[in-house]
Amino acid sequence: MKKNILTKEQINKKTKGQYFTINNPFEHKAFKKWYETYVGFDEIILEPFAGSNHIPYLCKKINIINNWHCFDIEPQDVNLTPEFDITFQDTIKDFPNGYNVVITNPPYLAKVSASKLKLDYPDTFYENLYMLCLDKMLTNCENVAVIIPESFITSGYFIDRLYCVISLNFPMFDDTDCPVCLALFTKNGAENNCFEIYVGDNLISTYCDLKTFSLKEYENYYKKWKFNDPQGNIGVKCVDNQCKDDIYFHHGDKIEPSKIKISSRAFSRISGLPIDINIDEFILTCNNIINEYRNNTKDVFMTSFKGLRKDGVYRRRIDFKTLRCIMNYALKKLSK
């Protein structure tokens, strides 16, 4: 059997998480405000994961004329801003010193993907390579602007340094539909974690305001739920479809038992409903809660999933922890 031959670029995308931007997120008003307030034209900007120098190229298009110092573990054959040389350097192992500002698109590579593909992965507790890169940038630099997976906002990392997060609801890369955001950091971050969150050009809210709608207080209210039980009498669709928000509860028998696996995340059957709770009332209450939760939080705390929906927002996936909180809240309501 003939094996598929990967190009050098495809190999880099698998082994180094290299993806190159095709749109310009730096036109956003929040980025321009961050730049004018914390950077300015006199600052030398560090690009530690330069690739083909696409980031300086995009910034130059919006009249950012700073001097750049650019590095990469494997500079590309084409340099889009040839006035700035790209220095060969493994910036994960040897991060450049003496810079105050970073603007970059770091590599993405999940630890679990690296394990499946038998790829080298750094000795770190971070589950994705971009997190390790971000840690090194924030450790060494006061002001950082990065294009990273949009799921970052649900991670809880580096919240105290965040100035703003912009969900980039347009195609960003040439060869992947990975949902991404532009995260802006400063030395001290926003006061009381009240950094602004945008979806495209629209200001959604602040992080501290959205956190008031958290359901975390119900996490331990009831502990007998069993997820991915093939015989569970409660079913849940856990991922939006490509047209609209489409996560909801239903009767478990709508899902064939054979389709339930330990690793199932797109849907689940759940057992553990107390015998004195009417299942129809419970499902209705859960769906009302999830609709209210999504409306209040603007989906910020639900992980983005693959590409954009037809209405221009990212599809979302709900995790079992949030489902547990919703079901426990429903139980508390019905128990009254």
Side-chain angles (χ1 to χ4, degrees):
M1 180 178 178
K2 185 178 180 180
K3 294 183 179 180
N4 292 328
I5 299 175
L6 297 179
T7 66
K8 177 181 177 181
E9 184 179 10
Q10 289 172 324
I11 292 171
N12 284 342
K13 286 174 180 178
K14 285 182 176 293
T15 61
K16 299 184 179 69
Q18 293 175 338
Y19 295 97
F20 304 120
T21 49
I22 59 173
N23 282 297
N24 196 344
F26 305 115
E27 295 177 331
H28 198 280
K29 59 185 178 182
F31 172 82
K32 292 179 179 178
K33 182 180 178 181
W34 171 87
Y35 172 82
E36 291 168 1
T37 304
Y38 297 99
V39 184
F41 291 110
D42 296 331
E43 198 79 51
I44 296 175
I45 300 176
L46 171 65
E47 189 4 329
F49 308 102
S52 60
N53 255 355
H54 209 156
I55 298 297
Y57 171 78
L58 293 175
C59 288
K60 185 178 178 180
K61 293 190 69 153
I62 61 166
N63 297 318
I64 291 179
I65 58 174
N66 297 64
N67 188 17
W68 291 70
H69 288 181
C70 306
F71 302 83
D72 199 275
I73 190 173
E74 187 173 351
Q76 303 300 299
D77 295 333
V78 176
N79 185 345
L80 294 175
T81 50
E83 62 266 38
F84 305 124
D85 292 334
I86 304 173
T87 302
F88 167 78
Q89 187 165 318
D90 185 344
T91 50
I92 294 179
K93 294 181 179 178
D94 181 19
F95 196 85
N97 296 318
Y99 297 93
N100 187 49
V101 178
V102 175
I103 304 178
T104 190
N105 168 32
Y108 317 156
L109 179 64
K111 182 183 290 188
V112 63
S113 297
S115 177
K116 288 179 180 178
L117 295 170
K118 297 183 173 15
L119 303 176
D120 291 335
Y121 193 85
D123 183 16
T124 175
F125 66 89
Y126 290 119
E127 295 300 317
N128 196 300
L129 186 60
Y130 86 85
M131 281 287 192
L132 175 61
C133 298
L134 184 53
D135 189 329
K136 290 182 177 292
M137 288 184 274
L138 291 172
T139 298
N140 289 277
C141 305
E142 290 187 357
N143 303 300
V144 175
V146 287
I147 302 169
I148 52 179
E150 207 235 21
S151 56
F152 161 76
I153 192 61
T154 66
S155 71
Y157 286 115
F158 314 118
I159 295 295
D160 292 341
R161 294 281 300 275
L162 269 169
Y163 168 84
C164 180
V165 177
I166 304 156
S167 177
L168 301 174
N169 58 341
F170 50 81
M172 271 301 306
F173 296 111
D174 60 348
D175 198 23
T176 177
D177 58 359
C178 174
V180 293
C181 66
L182 175 59
L184 307 174
F185 300 85
T186 61
K187 180 180 179 180
N188 298 314
E191 186 175 358
N192 298 321
N193 295 335
C194 287
F195 55 87
E196 293 179 332
I197 299 175
Y198 287 82
V199 174
D201 292 330
N202 298 319
L203 175 62
I204 297 302
S205 186
T206 63
Y207 181 81
C208 58
D209 284 345
L210 293 179
K211 287 293 285 184
T212 63
F213 299 109
S214 170
L215 299 174
K216 187 176 176 61
E217 63 181 288
Y218 303 106
E219 184 176 354
N220 296 314
Y221 179 77
Y222 180 76
K223 298 182 179 181
K224 295 185 179 180
W225 301 117
K226 182 180 179 182
F227 288 83
N228 289 339
D229 179 352
Q231 304 304 320
N233 60 347
I234 301 166
V236 60
K237 184 178 182 297
C238 301
V239 178
D240 286 335
N241 65 32
Q242 295 181 344
C243 298
K244 62 180 181 178
D245 52 345
D246 191 39
I247 295 171
Y248 62 93
F249 289 81
H250 54 77
H251 283 270
D253 57 12
K254 290 185 178 181
I255 305 173
E256 289 291 332
S258 60
K259 293 184 178 180
I260 297 298
K261 310 294 182 184
I262 294 176
S263 59
S264 294
R265 290 295 180 269
F267 49 83
S268 184
R269 288 182 68 165
I270 306 165
S271 59
L273 184 69
I275 59 174
D276 59 334
I277 299 295
N278 180 276
I279 188 169
D280 292 315
E281 283 188 82
F282 179 77
I283 289 172
L284 177 62
T285 304
C286 285
N287 283 329
N288 288 338
I289 292 171
I290 197 171
N291 290 334
E292 182 180 15
Y293 176 74
R294 297 191 71 170
N295 182 64
N296 288 338
T297 63
K298 313 304 180 187
D299 286 348
V300 166
F301 304 120
M302 293 173 64
T303 303
S304 49
F305 179 82
K306 294 186 177 180
L308 293 164
R309 299 188 328 221
K310 290 183 178 180
D311 57 2
V313 298
Y314 283 125
R315 298 167 67 190
R316 299 287 169 173
R317 175 176 61 82
I318 194 166
D319 58 79
F320 289 173
K321 182 177 179 180
T322 304
L323 286 174
R324 184 178 293 108
C325 291
I326 289 170
M327 293 189 296
N328 284 350
Y329 185 25
L331 276 186
K332 186 173 183 179
K333 280 176 169 284
L334 295 175
S335 295
K336 288 183 178 180

